[in-house]
Every structure is written in structure tokens, then in C-alpha cells.
Amino acid sequence: MSWDETLKLTQADESEEFKLFEAVVNGDVTVEDAVQWVITTTMDRLEDYGPGGSIEKADAVTFIAIIELAMQIDTTQYGPLVEFLGELKLYNAVDSSTGLILKTQDGSRVWSHLPSLNFWVAEIWTDRMTLLTCRFAEICDPDMEPDQQIRWAKLNIFLAQVTQAAEVEYTSLQVSISDAMDVSHMALCGLRHVFEERIPSEHIASTAGLLGVCYWLICAGDRLWENVLNGRKYNRYDGRPGELYSDRGWKGFERERWDIWVQGLRDAKAACRPGKELVEDLIDRALSKIERVMSNEIPSK
């Protein structure tokens, strides 16, 4: 189901949750009050569903609304939304009749694991990755409508800010994901599609995909570089290399892979044609952030 169809079906952009988040962004409602309202409303909704109702369904509108709002408002207004997620994840949804923590079908806790955030972001990603030709996903289509490119850029800025605000513990053996706000794998997905799928540099320079990865690097470059320094790995699907590097054994944020992404940015800038000054400037900002974060070559302890 496309994101537009999801909005039409749920009417999330006309919901009380959407209005609540607008009020939070405008400073008319505190983050703490918004969190308590969402908790109460979600549990009431679940109870209204009766037998057969699922916590995923009761929780859905909240996260569809917050994601949609993020794609509409100015990016300077994201702070309260990021703060809201940080506050909400401190709570668990508890079944009043059993006292047990409510979980989604995959075992994720609501709300401490923010499963609906990850689910609905993945839904948008899948929608935008739909192949328009045998080679290019929509985000790598230079003919993508300008307003949709802007929405894609905003989504990536929001997710990058959320990820940068997360707390991730690195050890010598593995990465312990102690914060559900970290969605670094979405950055990895974007970087793979833009720089590892045989897409010519001159083509990339006109795509929403390039905008997305630049903003990830600008807004969450510190987190992504820490992932590289600590060799952060993912499952076979999330960590896989793109077609151009299918023979590499990559599983996540390898240093070799990072260097390829950096070169991809440089190649995209070199391929920019007249009239692409804004894209060149964005690439320069991403490269500057890369240079700054790479000044730290010591893995986190």
C-alpha cells in the first residue's frame, strides 16, 4: 500500500494526533502532556477494539501522523517531535487485565521499542523503492515530482535528527542498540541505493536519493561515522551490498564502504551541470561534515 493510500485509509493527517503534534510543534502543548495524551488515547482505543484488536492497530495513527507532519513542516521545527519520541520510549504499554507488557507480533515492546515508527518508516521506504524501470528506484528517478523530492528530503532529515539524538552503546564485540530512536539502517539503505547500484554520477545529481543521503550525513554524520569505527553490522537484508559490489562481504558500516560513498559524493559533485549550484552546495556541506567527523579515528569505548 502506498503512503498516499495509507493516509487516505487512516485519515491520520486529519486525526486528533496530527492536531496534537501541530500544537506541540507550535508550543501550545508540552511534550509531557502530549505523551500522556497519546498513552491514554492508545490504550482506550485498544480497549474499544475489543477481542481481536491489536496494539499495532491502536498505535498506528500516532506514528503515521508524526511522520506525515514531519514531511509537511519546516525542518527547523523538528525539535519537539524528536523530544516527544525520546519521552514516549520511556514507557511501556501494559495490559490492564494481565499486567503484561504489550508487544507487537515480532516481540517489540510498545512504546519503548518504538515499533510503529520503524514499521511505518519502512513502509514509506518500500513505497519509494518501487522500481520504475529495471534499474532505478523512485528516489533515483530524476523526474520525481519536486514536491515529492522535498518530502523525501524532509523525511530523511527528520530520521537523521532522531537517530543522532539516540544513545547507542558500542562494545568490542557488537553494537548494543539501547535506543529505539536509532534508525541508522535507513541511512545505510539510502547510501546503498544511491552509490552501489550502477547509477551514473550525472544521473544521481538530479535525484531525491542524493538529497536524502546528503542530509543523513549532515544531520547524523557523527552517528554514522561511529557506526563505521565500530564495524556495526546488520542482518543479511539490511547490511547487504548493492549490485555493483555484490561480491563484497559487506554486512553494514564497513570502512571500505564508507570510502566508496565519499567518493560517490565527489563524483556526483563533479557531474553536476550548470543550474545545480544548490546540489553542489549540499554535497559540499556533506563532505565538510565527513571531514569533521573523520578527524576522530579512535573507536568509541
Side-chain angles (χ1 to χ4, degrees), residues 18-43:
F18 192 89
K19 296 173 184 176
L20 174 71
F21 293 134
E22 284 185 311
V24 170
V25 166
N26 293 331
D28 298 326
V29 174
T30 67
V31 168
E32 292 77 11
D33 286 346
V35 167
Q36 293 305 317
W37 186 92
V38 164
I39 289 173
T40 300
T41 301
T42 302
M43 299 309 294

Side-chain angles (χ1 to χ4, degrees), residues 24-295:
V24 170
V25 166
N26 293 331
D28 298 326
V29 174
T30 67
V31 168
E32 292 77 11
D33 286 346
V35 167
Q36 293 305 317
W37 186 92
V38 164
I39 289 173
T40 300
T41 301
T42 302
M43 299 309 294
D44 288 347
R45 186 181 293 127
L46 179 62
E47 186 173 328
D48 289 343
Y49 288 152
S54 70
I55 187 62
E56 291 100 321
K57 184 177 179 182
D59 197 41
V61 175
T62 295
F63 290 89
I64 297 172
I66 199 170
I67 293 168
E68 176 59 26
L69 180 61
M71 291 192 287
Q72 292 186 20
I73 61 177
D74 191 275
T75 57
T76 60
Q77 297 178 292
Y78 288 164
L81 299 183
V82 175
E83 186 181 346
F84 170 85
L85 294 175
E87 183 73 17
L88 183 64
K89 69 181 177 61
L90 300 178
Y91 295 86
N92 283 309
V94 177
D95 188 322
S96 59
S97 61
T98 65
L100 298 176
I101 295 174
L102 293 171
K103 300 180 181 180
T104 57
Q105 292 183 351
D106 67 357
S108 297
R109 295 184 175 189
V110 179
W111 292 275
S112 59
H113 291 165
L114 300 178
S116 290
L117 174 68
N118 283 275
F119 177 83
W120 290 108
V121 166
E123 285 294 292
I124 298 178
W125 221 272
T126 300
D127 182 24
R128 293 307 182 193
M129 290 298 172
T130 300
L131 293 180
L132 299 182
T133 71
C134 61
R135 297 179 65 192
F136 303 138
E138 185 176 0
I139 65 162
C140 291
D141 176 15
D143 295 323
M144 186 179 186
E145 292 294 329
D147 65 318
Q148 293 301 314
Q149 288 202 15
I150 292 172
R151 282 170 60 83
W152 181 258
K154 287 183 174 183
L155 174 65
N156 283 272
I157 293 170
F158 178 62
L159 296 179
Q161 289 189 14
V162 169
T163 296
Q164 188 60 45
E167 296 180 1
V168 179
E169 296 179 1
Y170 297 90
T171 71
S172 60
L173 298 178
Q174 63 182 4
V175 178
S176 173
I177 307 304
S178 56
D179 196 323
M181 290 171 65
D182 183 287
V183 290
S184 295
H185 61 290
M186 292 301 180
L188 182 59
C189 180
L191 288 158
R192 176 176 62 243
H193 276 275
V194 173
F195 296 127
E196 301 176 16
E197 297 290 356
R198 299 185 184 278
I199 302 174
S201 297
E202 60 272 17
H203 187 103
I204 289 173
S206 300
T207 66
L210 180 66
L211 301 181
V213 297
C214 281
Y215 282 122
W216 262 104
L217 290 162
I218 292 166
C219 299
D222 300 271
R223 169 71 63 238
L224 301 186
W225 179 237
E226 281 190 328
N227 290 338
V228 174
L229 289 179
N230 291 278
R232 188 170 181 180
K233 302 294 189 292
Y234 291 90
N235 60 44
R236 185 182 304 176
Y237 179 80
D238 288 333
R240 73 190 189 282
E243 181 185 357
L244 187 60
Y245 303 96
S246 59
D247 60 336
R248 310 292 173 94
W250 296 339
K251 297 179 180 179
F253 284 90
E254 291 84 1
R255 177 57 189 270
E256 178 189 29
R257 201 173 192 181
W258 174 272
D259 291 341
I260 287 171
W261 298 335
V262 174
Q263 187 58 49
L265 282 172
R266 292 172 178 153
D267 292 343
K269 181 184 176 182
C272 283
R273 298 174 180 175
K276 290 293 181 181
E277 288 78 15
L278 291 178
V279 175
E280 290 184 78
D281 178 66
L282 186 64
I283 295 173
D284 281 338
R285 289 170 59 194
L287 289 171
S288 293
K289 184 59 176 284
I290 287 170
E291 182 179 359
R292 187 184 69 77
V293 300
M294 287 182 68
S295 64

